[in-house]
């Protein structure tokens, strides 16, 4: 069952990418999944969005490390190939790229995952922090083409605003 984001967001999908039900896409914990129009050797690159309330003092870097630890339990190997802070003090973010070896659908695959973490504060109560995670997963050979679409997608993500107000 798909999860609900703690903060509603709006975004624009890159051309050709299509939304897919998270359960059917194999990402039941995600709030949203989009799939690339062209599979590569039987694997379809995908973008997922999930998030959670994080009232603790964990930094985005620490939260990203937690994700690596969880992924390491399910994959053959996970290596952080790059990471850096992004954004500003008012809108902090963190990004990391992972090289992942995993068995997906019974097939051993070398995948690349780009993860972007965005911290969003509750306007009414800034002590309430949510962290939204945006993830691109692609085969190592398809990643160079898909990452540009993902970067375009990330630039469109923002908290949803109530157009009726």
């Amino acid at each position: 069952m798909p999860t609900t984001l703690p903060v509603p967001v709006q975004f624009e999908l890159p051309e050709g990418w299509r939304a897919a039900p998270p359960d059917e896409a194999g990402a039941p914990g995600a709030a949203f999944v989009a799939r690339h129009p062209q599979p590569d050797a039987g694997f379809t690159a995908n973008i997922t969005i999930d998030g959670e309330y994080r009232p603790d003092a964990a930094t985005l870097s620490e939260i990203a490390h937690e994700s690596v630890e969880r992924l390491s339990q399910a994959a053959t190997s996970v290596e952080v190939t790059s990471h850096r802070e992004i954004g500003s003090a008012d809108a902090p973010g963190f990004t990391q790229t992972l090289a992942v070896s995993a068995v997906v659908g019974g097939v051993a695959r070398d995948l690349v995952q780009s993860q972007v973490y965005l911290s969003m504060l509750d306007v009414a109560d800034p002590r309430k922090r949510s962290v939204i995670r945006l993830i691109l997963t692609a085969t190592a050979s398809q990643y160079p083409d898909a990452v540009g679409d993902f970067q375009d997608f990330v630039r469109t993500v923002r908290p949803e605003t109530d157009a009726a107000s």
Side-chain angles (χ1 to χ4, degrees), residues 89-116:
D90 291 336
F94 186 83
T95 182
Q96 64 183 6
T97 303
L98 311 174
V100 180
S101 294
V103 176
V104 180
V107 178
R109 300 204 179 268
D110 289 326
L111 304 172
V112 178
Q113 206 175 72
S114 281
Q115 301 180 342
V116 175

Side-chain angles (χ1 to χ4, degrees), residues 71-98:
L71 185 56
S72 294
Q73 294 172 10
T76 308
S77 70
V78 178
E79 177 187 349
V80 178
T81 59
S82 68
H83 59 88
R84 68 184 173 95
E85 290 185 17
I86 58 172
S88 64
D90 291 336
F94 186 83
T95 182
Q96 64 183 6
T97 303
L98 311 174

